[in-house]
Amino acid sequence: MTTPGDPQDGMQGYTQPGYIPPPGQPGYGQLDNPQGQSPQVTSDDQTLAMLSYILALVASIIAPLVIYLVKMNGSRYVRFHAAQALNMGITAFIESIAILIVGILLAVATHGLGILLMVLAFLALGIAHLVYLILGAVRAYHGEPFRVPTIICFRMVR
């Protein structure tokens, strides 16, 4: 099996948008850059990218939105991580509303069992959200790209 950009696949130099090569392959740790230059990531960028995840714990949508709007045109690295933290907050809100609606309907249909299922679903969502926020903060601080799975982070803001 070949990956995009491998010489064996007949598309030398081609990489899919959003493709992040695994560790050990050329290009690992770099964000997509259409000009072919590796982006310069400063320590300030790393700190702001990390803060977009950490502050999302306190102010779920507001803090990443502010960081995204401030650094939107200044740093692709910060924009990528702030957009991802913002998408995680928006996704968690949407999923919470869905869990609440389904939980209430199940509670009415099952005479209260749906409330237990709703609590378990909220607990699972909260733990998954917390884990991926921490993973994103650590990777952002180390200057590495990190893509959260789509089930936790719908890509609405880019």
Side-chain angles (χ1 to χ4, degrees):
M1 183 172 122
T2 62
T3 56
D6 282 349
Q8 297 93 357
D9 69 359
M11 298 183 291
Q12 285 86 359
Y14 172 78
T15 58
Q16 296 174 339
Y19 172 74
I20 299 173
Q25 286 191 1
Y28 175 73
Q30 299 174 358
L31 296 175
D32 294 339
N33 193 344
Q35 287 81 25
Q37 306 158 343
S38 65
Q40 298 297 324
V41 179
T42 65
S43 64
D44 288 343
D45 288 346
Q46 290 175 341
T47 303
L48 276 173
M50 178 194 63
L51 281 175
S52 66
Y53 290 107
I54 291 175
L55 293 176
L57 292 170
V58 178
S60 118
I61 296 175
I62 303 299
L65 178 63
V66 169
I67 292 172
Y68 180 81
L69 292 174
V70 168
K71 295 297 272 186
M72 181 171 39
N73 296 326
S75 169
R76 291 186 68 206
Y77 184 77
V78 175
R79 182 180 71 208
F80 171 80
H81 286 287
Q84 190 159 254
L86 179 60
N87 287 334
M88 285 178 68
I90 295 170
T91 302
F93 179 74
I94 292 169
E95 289 173 345
S96 295
I97 298 296
I99 289 171
L100 185 66
I101 291 170
V102 171
I104 289 172
L105 291 175
L106 280 175
V108 169
T110 61
H111 303 292
L113 181 63
I115 293 175
L116 176 64
L117 296 174
M118 183 172 58
V119 169
L120 292 175
F122 274 123
L123 187 63
L125 176 65
I127 290 171
H129 192 72
L130 178 66
V131 166
Y132 282 108
L133 281 175
I134 292 170
L135 284 174
V138 169
R139 293 273 181 91
Y141 188 71
H142 287 118
E144 301 171 2
F146 178 67
R147 184 88 57 188
V148 177
T150 304
I151 192 72
I152 302 294
C153 178
F154 301 148
R155 302 205 194 330
M156 295 170 270
V157 178
R158 295 185 187 257

